[in-house]
């Protein structure tokens, strides 16, 4: 009842004002204004139309209305218009009032997190004849009008019977301005009185809206900044700052296309930028590097890198010293000479414990020259750190926001930068995880170019656009809800189904002979119905089973088949014989060992010819076996009378000059070359305690190489490659430790820490200068409690496990509780798998019952029945097929399962 009464009053006010305006216009007024003269450039959007009723009717009859009406604002607006139309006494009267009249609807920020609409309308008084008296008779009792003056302009306000102000209205020149926010009406009056204000008419020049058009959408950089300030969790972000000073606007005509809304129109930009696309663009090469785990993409595809550099972020806070060094060592020496004008900025899914992963792809005609200059830049900054991953050398540049300093303030978000080259495309990443993601997906063909599961949005990426921005809504939605402030985050989560029915959003800018034109496309799922997602466990059936003659005691472990890039499977039986099977289950070879395997399975290229061999250790010997089942020359070899407890493989410079890093049960460390020769400083190096896991080599950006071992007595040992102690070694963590540690980059300090947890439940973090910077004791309710750090399969991320009484608790790296699992057995194996985005699996294997249970990180079981397993399980994510490949051993069987993502 209150809604229609309020609307009835609003209509009466407009009609009354329209009648007064007719007298004013004919006898006193001489000033004609455009509605854009009183609308601020900070408006979130402006929609302008002369076909208000027709456009509305087209919208509600389009399949997209099925999505819009699920949103409260559109549903409320629809009901208000229907009610208002019925109260005029003649069906369709509202349509007659607004048809062929200029109507604008603009959204404005009216507070920190609040937005309100401002309406402007040209009313023809001849259309109101006979309506005023009819409506006046229906005004509810107790309501009142109140007139006031603001800057010598009359403002009419309506108050309901409870004295709540509903609407404010004013006549400005030949416009009626009204809003439920008096602030917006007052702002319009200020802009009307003072023509020097920053209004939309000063951004949008030279074009007017056709009266036959359904309407046009006006957007500005300042308006988008105002929107982000209202909904973002970080209101001081660099993205907002860059938009706030961007004097750019778009005037986009609306059209209703099949399956999408499309807006096309001119771009208004003060700088003389030529958006003509590059005629030498190689989109195929770029798409081969765009991961299927991309959330959003920005494309610059101009005729030259120097044209791209003209697009500058003037809000970026440059560091003068870094700019000077880049100019001296890079720009002045021709760093950009081999660049094309193609730059692609990727926002990637969270991965390996890193929530913000970014990649910049810059195509060159020859990447060797800029790479050499980047190495020279490293030396000038006293940094010569590089590392290797999948045979690619990765340079480390510690300077904050290096790409932004290099590319005119664009591409911010790089606390540090990792750089490599793939097929003459320079790849800049803001984290090691982002670089690994790009390289993993490139080598596995999980990219827009090569994967059958690439997103449909890739059709929006083309070489005919000078600039493009693409958001994949489904993929980026979780990140958006996380980065908005609490009130907006809850709204986005509540109506996620409606918003995610728009699969992507794309903006293109193209250079035409007479203008620069933008195209905004919003496709939608016309048959979409919002549903509540149910997380149901799945009943798995074996996809493949391999039976052997004896009980299996090790595995399953996987190895790369270098001949066809498939996965081989390695197990060991009770007679200590290892068996290697190919992907289809055929045995490749078997070989007897002298005892059970005590290490992980590694692969080496002993002959440096691309053919890989297996490397493993038993308690007594180290074995190297080729794919034909033959021993490598000089293998196996031993350490004399010492028993091996752990083995790790090290390749400092990715040159296949391998080092075998070994710890023994006597508390000694050895470093051997691939022939078994013990190296100086490590023959042996005694630490007088067993290690909790394999000793490891870490290359810490900005600090160098460290050889690291964590002892069971709670001591952390740091050495350089020559075996010399570093950082006050040993660093005492205080007490016994059962689990391995992990090297983790702290996003708050941007420094690398070694993280572990003691058997008593104390979490400890140490830097590589030997300083313990963090200690925290977890709750311990039972003297027999068990505390373990469990790293993921690639040691990028980790969780903490606390077992007390009959319950296992899983905590993330911030010590936030993820789940509790009821379990009575004490003989348990914990595993954590992270495949990016929300594809994390926690596996708990009960060795007493020989069952494995799989959980997501919300504690939901993924399978209706546990999987039979007598050891750790092996999981691979097949991104091209959108499924998990799970392998277990139980008794004498190897079993393979497929679980859909």
């Amino acid at each position: 009842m209150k809604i229609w009464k309020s609307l009835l009053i609003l209509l009466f006010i407009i009609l009354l004002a329209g009648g007064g305006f007719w007298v004013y216009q004919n006898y006193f007024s001489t000033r004609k204004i455009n509605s854009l003269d009183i609308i601020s450039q900070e408006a979130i959007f402006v929609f302008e139309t002369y076909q208000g009723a027709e456009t509305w009717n087209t919208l509600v009859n389009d399949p997209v209305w099925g999505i819009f009406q699920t949103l409260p604002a559109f549903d409320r607006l629809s009901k208000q218009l229907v009610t208002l139309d019925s109260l005029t006494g003649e069906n369709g009267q509202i349509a007659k009032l607004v048809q062929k009249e200029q109507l604008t609807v603009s959204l404005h920020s009216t507070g920190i997190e609040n937005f309100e609409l401002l309406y402007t309308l040209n009313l023809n008084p001849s259309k109101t004849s006979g309506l005023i008296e009819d409506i006046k008779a229906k005004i509810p009792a107790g309501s009142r009008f109140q007139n006031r003056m603001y800057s010598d302009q009359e403002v009419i306000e309506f108050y309901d019977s409870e004295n709540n102000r509903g609407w404010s209205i004013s006549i400005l020149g030949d416009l009626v301005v009204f809003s439920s926010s008096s602030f917006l009406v007052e702002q319009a009056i200020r802009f009307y009185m003072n023509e020097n204000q920053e209004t939309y008419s000063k951004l949008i020049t030279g074009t007017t809206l056709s009266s036959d058009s359904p309407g046009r959408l006006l957007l500005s950089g300042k308006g988008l900044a105002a929107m982000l300030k209202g909904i973002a969790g970080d209101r001081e972000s660099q993205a907002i700052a860059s938009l706030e000073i961007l004097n750019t606007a778009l005037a986009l005509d609306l059209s209703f296309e099949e399956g999408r809304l499309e807006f096309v129109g001119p771009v208004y930009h003060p700088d003389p930028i030529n958006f003509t696309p590059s005629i030498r663009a190689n989109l195929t090469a770029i798409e081969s590097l765009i991961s299927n785990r991309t959330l959003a993409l920005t494309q610059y595809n101009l005729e030259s890198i120097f044209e791209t550099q003209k697009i500058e972020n003037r809000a970026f806070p440059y560091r003068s010293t870094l700019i000077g060094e880049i100019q001296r060592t890079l720009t002045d020496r021709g760093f950009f000479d081999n660049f094309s004008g193609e730059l692609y900025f990727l926002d990637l899914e969270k991965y390996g414990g890193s929530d913000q992963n970014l990649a910049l792809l810059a195509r060159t005609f020859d990447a060797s020259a800029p790479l050499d200059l980047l190495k020279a830049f490293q030396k000038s900054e006293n940094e010569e750190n590089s590392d290797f991953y999948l045979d690619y050398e990765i340079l480390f540049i510690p300077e904050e926001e290096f790409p932004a300093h290099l590319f005119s303030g664009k591409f911010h978000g790089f606390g540090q930068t990792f750089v490599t080259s793939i097929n003459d495309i320079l790849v800049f990443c803001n984290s090691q995880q982002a670089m690994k993601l790009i390289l993993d997906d490139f080598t596995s063909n999980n990219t827009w170019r090569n994967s059958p599961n690439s997103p449909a949005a890739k059709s929006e990426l083309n070489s005919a656009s000078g600039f493009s921005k693409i958001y994949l809504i489904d993929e980026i939605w979780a990140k958006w809800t996380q980065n908005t402030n609490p009130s907006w985050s809850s709204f986005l989560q509540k109506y996620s189904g409606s918003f995610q029915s728009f699969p992507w959003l794309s903006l293109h800018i193209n250079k035409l002979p007479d203008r620069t034109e933008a195209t905004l496309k919003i496709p939608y799922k016309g048959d979409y119905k919002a549903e509540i997602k149910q997380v149901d466990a799945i009943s798995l059936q074996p996809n493949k089973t391999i039976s052997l003659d004896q009980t299996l005691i090790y595995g399953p472990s996987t190895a790369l088949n270098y001949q066809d890039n498939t996965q081989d499977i390695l197990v060991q039986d009770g007679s200590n014989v290892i068996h290697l099977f190919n992907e289809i289950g055929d045995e490749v070879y078997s070989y007897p060992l002298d005892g059970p395997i005590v290490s992980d399975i590694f692969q080496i290229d002993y002959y440096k010819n691309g053919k890989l061999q297996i490397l493993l250790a038993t308690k007594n010997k180290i074995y190297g076996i080729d794919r034909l089942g033959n021993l490598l020359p000089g293998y196996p070899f031993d350490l004399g009378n010492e028993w091996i407890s752990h083995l790790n493989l090290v390749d400092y410079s990715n040159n296949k000059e391998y080092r075998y890093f070994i710890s023994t049960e006597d508390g000694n460390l050895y470093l051997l070359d691939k022939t078994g020769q013990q190296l100086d400083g490590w023959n042996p190096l005694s630490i007088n305690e067993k290690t909790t896991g394999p000793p490891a080599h870490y290359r810490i950006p900005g600090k160098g190489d460290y050889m690291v071992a964590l002892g069971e007595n709670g001591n952390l040992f740091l050495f350089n490659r020559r075996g010399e102690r570093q950082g006050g070694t040993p660093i005492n963590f205080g007490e016994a430790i059962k689990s391995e540690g992990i090297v983790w980059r702290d996003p708050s300090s941007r420094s690398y820490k070694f993280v572990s947890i003691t058997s008593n439940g104390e979490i400890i973090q140490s830097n590589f200068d030997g300083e313990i910077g963090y200690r925290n004791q977890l709750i311990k309710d039972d003297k027999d409690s068990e505390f373990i750090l469990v790293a993921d399969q690639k040691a990028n991320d980790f969780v903490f496990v606390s077992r007390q009484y009959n319950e296992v608790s899983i905590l993330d790296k911030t010590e936030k509780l993820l789940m509790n699992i009821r379990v009575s057995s004490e003989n348990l194996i914990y595993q954590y798998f992270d495949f990016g985005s929300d594809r994390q699996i926690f596996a708990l294997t009960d060795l007493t019952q020989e069952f494995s249970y799989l959980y997501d990180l919300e504690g939901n079981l993924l399978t209706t029945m546990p999987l039979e397993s007598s050891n750790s399980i092996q999981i691979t994510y097949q991104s091209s097929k959108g499924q998990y490949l799970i392998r277990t051993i139980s008794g004498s069987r190897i079993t393979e399962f497929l679980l859909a993502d």
Side-chain angles (χ1 to χ4, degrees), residues 6 10 110 115-119 157 165-169 178-185:
S6 177
L10 174 62
T110 56
F115 303 94
E116 295 287 350
L117 291 169
L118 174 71
Y119 304 85
E157 295 181 324
R165 183 175 60 202
W167 299 91
S168 298
I169 187 168
F178 54 100
S179 175
S180 59
S181 168
S182 60
F183 167 79
L184 293 181
V185 172

Side-chain angles (χ1 to χ4, degrees), residues 576-638:
N576 298 322
V577 176
I578 61 170
H579 303 266
L580 188 74
F581 296 90
N582 62 21
E583 188 177 54
I584 63 175
D586 296 333
E587 186 170 82
V588 179
Y589 68 77
S590 60
Y591 189 88
L593 305 181
D594 71 298
I597 298 171
V598 299
S599 70
D600 290 333
I601 302 300
F602 302 96
Q603 288 185 277
I604 59 175
D605 184 356
Y606 186 87
Y607 298 105
K608 299 184 180 182
N609 61 1
K611 297 180 179 180
L612 302 179
Q613 301 84 35
I614 294 292
L615 177 74
L616 57 85
T618 65
K619 182 171 61 175
N620 297 302
K621 296 181 180 180
I622 295 174
Y623 288 82
I625 306 171
D626 67 21
R627 201 168 185 277
L628 299 177
N630 301 317
L631 288 171
L632 293 174
Y635 287 75
F637 50 79
D638 56 40

Side-chain angles (χ1 to χ4, degrees), residues 551-795:
T551 299
L552 299 176
I553 62 171
Y554 181 91
S557 185
T558 60
L560 178 68
N561 180 347
Y562 63 84
Q563 296 172 332
D564 58 11
N565 288 325
T566 58
Q567 282 187 343
D568 291 337
I569 307 167
L570 186 143
V571 295
Q572 185 181 29
D573 66 26
S575 296
N576 298 322
V577 176
I578 61 170
H579 303 266
L580 188 74
F581 296 90
N582 62 21
E583 188 177 54
I584 63 175
D586 296 333
E587 186 170 82
V588 179
Y589 68 77
S590 60
Y591 189 88
L593 305 181
D594 71 298
I597 298 171
V598 299
S599 70
D600 290 333
I601 302 300
F602 302 96
Q603 288 185 277
I604 59 175
D605 184 356
Y606 186 87
Y607 298 105
K608 299 184 180 182
N609 61 1
K611 297 180 179 180
L612 302 179
Q613 301 84 35
I614 294 292
L615 177 74
L616 57 85
T618 65
K619 182 171 61 175
N620 297 302
K621 296 181 180 180
I622 295 174
Y623 288 82
I625 306 171
D626 67 21
R627 201 168 185 277
L628 299 177
N630 301 317
L631 288 171
L632 293 174
Y635 287 75
F637 50 79
D638 56 40
L639 299 179
N641 295 322
E642 288 209 60
W643 286 353
I644 298 168
S645 58
H646 297 96
L647 165 69
N648 212 338
L649 179 66
V650 178
D651 186 0
Y652 298 123
S653 300
N654 202 51
N655 57 5
K656 301 179 176 59
E657 295 295 333
Y658 301 109
R659 299 291 184 262
Y660 303 158
F661 201 5
I662 301 168
S663 61
T664 69
E665 294 192 8
D666 290 339
N668 291 322
L669 300 177
Y670 288 84
L671 194 65
L672 283 60
D673 66 17
K674 66 181 181 181
T675 67
Q677 180 69 37
Q678 297 178 15
L679 302 182
D680 291 342
W682 301 91
N683 52 348
L685 193 159
S686 178
I687 60 174
N688 296 314
E689 58 185 291
K690 291 178 64 177
T691 59
T692 62
H697 163 258
Y698 296 103
R699 182 159 291 167
I700 305 302
K703 298 191 71 68
D705 291 325
Y706 289 85
M707 312 296 283
V708 180
L710 180 62
E712 290 183 348
N713 296 335
N715 293 309
L716 175 65
F717 298 88
L718 306 178
F719 305 95
N720 63 19
R721 286 161 57 171
R722 296 183 297 275
E724 299 166 341
R725 294 179 179 240
Q726 305 290 300
T729 290
I731 305 161
N732 185 252
F733 280 8
E735 56 185 274
I737 294 176
K738 290 184 178 179
S739 61
E740 302 176 30
I742 188 172
V743 172
W744 170 66
R745 179 179 179 266
D746 184 350
S748 59
S749 65
R750 296 176 180 170
S751 60
Y752 287 82
K753 308 289 180 62
F754 188 90
V755 184
S756 188
I757 186 170
T758 68
S759 300
N760 200 41
E762 185 178 25
I763 296 172
I764 301 175
Q765 298 179 8
S766 170
N767 64 22
F768 283 81
D769 293 323
E771 301 165 337
I772 295 177
Y774 179 82
R775 289 181 180 268
N776 187 47
Q777 177 66 50
L778 298 181
I779 296 173
K780 181 178 180 181
D781 297 326
D782 181 7
K783 64 182 181 65
D784 295 324
S785 296
E786 178 181 41
F787 296 93
I788 293 177
L789 183 151
V790 181
D792 69 20
Q793 77 280 13
K794 290 192 174 183

Side-chain angles (χ1 to χ4, degrees), residues 56-67:
W56 175 260
N57 290 332
T58 302
L59 175 64
V60 297
N61 289 309
D62 193 90
V64 75
W65 180 248
I67 302 167

